[in-house]
Amino acid sequence: MRDFTTVFTLAHDHGLSWYKVGEACGMKPERVSKVARGEATVTAMDTIERVADGLRIPGALLGLAARPWENSSPTPHPESDDGDDPMNRRQLLRGALAAGLTGPALTALTDTRQSLDVALAADTEAAELSDLELAAEAYGYGYHGQAPTKVLVDLAGDFAALKPLLARPQPVATRMRVCHTAGQMAGMVAIVLHDLGARPEAKKWFATASAAARESGDRQLHAWVLAREAMVPLNYGAPRAAATLAEQARQAAGDRPTAAATLAAAVAARAYALAHQPEQARQALQAADTLMGKLDPAARADTWLTHGEQKHHVHLSHALTALGDTRRARESQHRALQLSAPTSTMTRSLLAIDAATCLHHDGDTHQACRQTIDVLTGLTPAYRTGLIHQRAMGLYQSIPTRHHHERVVRELHQVLAA
């Protein structure tokens, strides 16, 4: 009966920002967002009543008595088409007050006061922008067990909410904030598209993210976008192009120990390893490890926008596997798995395929194929395509053709073709 996660999500889906929902219900936008994500609940009776009144939810739907406004003529909201007309507002108040301080009259007075509260706020657009900045930070924590397509829909919806802020004249500092958030969100949309195997669309979103990052003036964000973009050609058969983008990211990031600089070096190591340039790969690996050791705690957070230890070992696993350094690759795989949540389906699957590739490199092709088949058949269709499929296909293609007639190799090929 009191499913506020659904209530707030529906309100948001119909165009209300978390700020607007919070304003209507007397709650902080951050708490509204957490409730919508299922990370917080609403239990206090006075809060439930504020939600009912703020969103005009009949009391019976929330286990309450009928609200005062339910049995009266509806009073147009001050933000409706005619509610901002002072003459019309005066007539509405006069009519409502004619019968005394009844429920409708008090509602009309409250609406009038709240409309002025909004006008008196320091910057309503800034509050909405803060809401979107908060959303970008939340998306940075990744899939959390959600299907990539679900995350993509939510991300794209909030990204669209930035357009009105860009369309209106803004102070320079505010526009830079909007562009920064747009760069982050567009980059994360591109990440999800890349994971789903939509390579052309991912590249277009990375281009948008890059343009927004440049306009934001944040070189570290631009470096992050370039390093992430490098992972598209890296994972889809063009390691030399990936190395070029990764080096551009390293140049943009500079020499300071930042998350973007560390990511760029790690991606460069993977690209050089796949391009059969082992010396450059080892140099980039050493640079990535050195930078990682100097990162501050905030930069080590486990998000898409930072560079945590788990992510670092995921990159090292792939680079070392491609270099044939299976001992060190297994060490990174083990550490990455220790740091990966059980819900990190994508990451854990890629690590398992890296481990299988190490088995193949060490001569146990049969077990490598069997392990990869188990990974693929254990996934839902949402995860069995895109990046995971590409990594598994890379293992299959590395098996000499003289072994392709063997039963387990044929079975892996059939699973990949399904």
Side-chain angles (χ1 to χ4, degrees):
M1 179 179 289
R2 294 175 178 173
D3 183 1
F4 292 105
T5 294
T6 300
V7 169
F8 290 166
T9 299
L10 284 173
H12 190 257
D13 289 346
H14 281 79
L16 289 180
S17 69
W18 300 136
Y19 173 77
K20 289 293 187 183
V21 175
E23 180 186 49
C25 302
M27 299 171 64
K28 292 183 178 180
E30 294 85 352
R31 180 167 175 77
V32 172
S33 178
K34 285 185 176 181
V35 172
R37 296 196 304 270
E39 297 174 6
T41 58
V42 175
T43 56
M45 187 56 67
D46 61 334
T47 306
I48 294 171
E49 291 175 345
R50 289 201 306 272
V51 172
D53 294 338
L55 299 181
R56 288 298 191 264
I57 301 173
L61 296 180
L62 295 177
L64 303 173
R67 310 307 297 154
W69 46 265
E70 288 188 54
N71 297 319
S72 61
S73 301
T75 302
H77 193 273
E79 293 183 1
S80 63
D81 289 342
D82 60 355
D84 286 327
D85 180 357
M87 290 298 294
N88 189 57
R89 186 185 299 279
R90 188 186 300 271
Q91 292 172 357
L92 290 172
L93 280 170
R94 184 179 293 114
L97 287 167
L101 288 177
T102 60
L106 291 174
T107 298
L109 284 171
T110 297
D111 287 347
T112 300
R113 175 182 54 77
Q114 288 178 341
S115 69
L116 186 58
D117 284 343
V118 171
L120 289 172
D123 188 348
T124 300
E125 290 184 358
E128 293 177 358
L129 176 55
S130 295
D131 181 20
L132 291 168
E133 289 171 330
L134 175 69
E137 180 183 350
Y139 286 123
Y141 284 93
Y143 295 116
H144 277 295
Q146 301 178 90
T149 48
K150 168 66 166 61
V151 175
L152 181 61
V153 169
D154 292 342
L155 252 174
D158 278 330
F159 178 83
L162 289 166
K163 182 178 178 180
L165 298 179
L166 284 170
R168 293 191 288 270
Q170 300 278 10
V172 172
T174 301
R175 184 171 181 85
M176 290 173 69
R177 285 176 60 196
V178 176
C179 289
H180 189 272
T181 305
Q184 289 180 323
M185 285 194 176
M188 288 187 283
V189 168
I191 289 171
V192 180
L193 288 167
H194 161 262
D195 290 349
L196 289 170
R199 180 175 40 176
E201 287 303 312
K203 286 180 66 65
K204 292 174 184 176
W205 277 88
F206 274 125
T208 297
S210 187
R214 284 195 300 270
E215 188 169 346
S216 78
D218 188 335
R219 290 179 62 86
Q220 294 302 317
L221 176 60
H222 190 210
W224 174 81
V225 172
L226 288 171
R228 280 289 187 172
E229 184 180 359
M231 292 167 66
V232 178
L234 172 70
N235 289 313
Y236 290 97
R240 294 185 185 277
T244 299
L245 275 171
E247 289 299 341
Q248 291 175 9
R250 295 177 76 180
Q251 184 175 359
D255 297 327
R256 291 190 300 112
T258 63
T262 312
L263 172 66
V267 173
R270 294 173 61 186
Y272 286 130
L274 291 173
H276 306 293
Q277 296 176 264
E279 186 57 33
Q280 292 92 326
R282 291 189 178 93
Q283 290 175 0
L285 276 173
Q286 183 176 355
D289 272 334
T290 300
L291 289 165
M292 186 67 194
K294 297 178 180 179
L295 286 184
D296 62 44
R300 286 172 168 266
D302 184 18
T303 78
W304 280 339
L305 298 165
T306 51
H307 193 81
E309 184 184 358
Q310 181 257 19
K311 183 183 299 177
H312 188 63
H313 281 291
V314 169
H315 287 294
L316 262 57
S317 167
H318 194 209
L320 292 165
T321 298
L323 285 170
D325 190 344
T326 57
R327 180 188 62 80
R328 292 180 62 200
R330 288 191 178 95
E331 290 175 356
S332 282
Q333 289 154 18
H334 177 70
R335 184 58 179 154
L337 284 171
Q338 283 183 323
L339 296 169
S340 298
T343 55
S344 298
T345 304
M346 181 87 64
T347 297
R348 298 179 77 88
S349 299
L350 292 171
L351 288 168
I353 297 172
D354 280 353
T357 304
C358 287
L359 287 171
H360 167 59
H361 187 276
D362 289 343
D364 193 349
T365 301
H366 181 279
Q367 185 58 31
C369 292
R370 178 53 54 200
Q371 183 167 312
T372 305
I373 291 167
D374 289 344
V375 170
L376 294 173
T377 55
L379 293 170
T380 62
Y383 284 101
R384 210 178 297 148
T385 59
L387 182 53
I388 291 175
H389 183 274
Q390 189 72 19
R391 188 73 59 87
M393 182 61 76
L395 168 60
Y396 174 77
Q397 291 171 344
S398 70
I399 300 172
T401 54
R402 66 179 180 273
H403 295 294
H404 284 192
H405 70 280
E406 296 174 10
R407 179 176 178 181
V408 72
V409 181
R410 286 190 285 108
E411 185 178 348
L412 173 59
H413 183 259
Q414 289 168 358
V415 171
L416 286 167

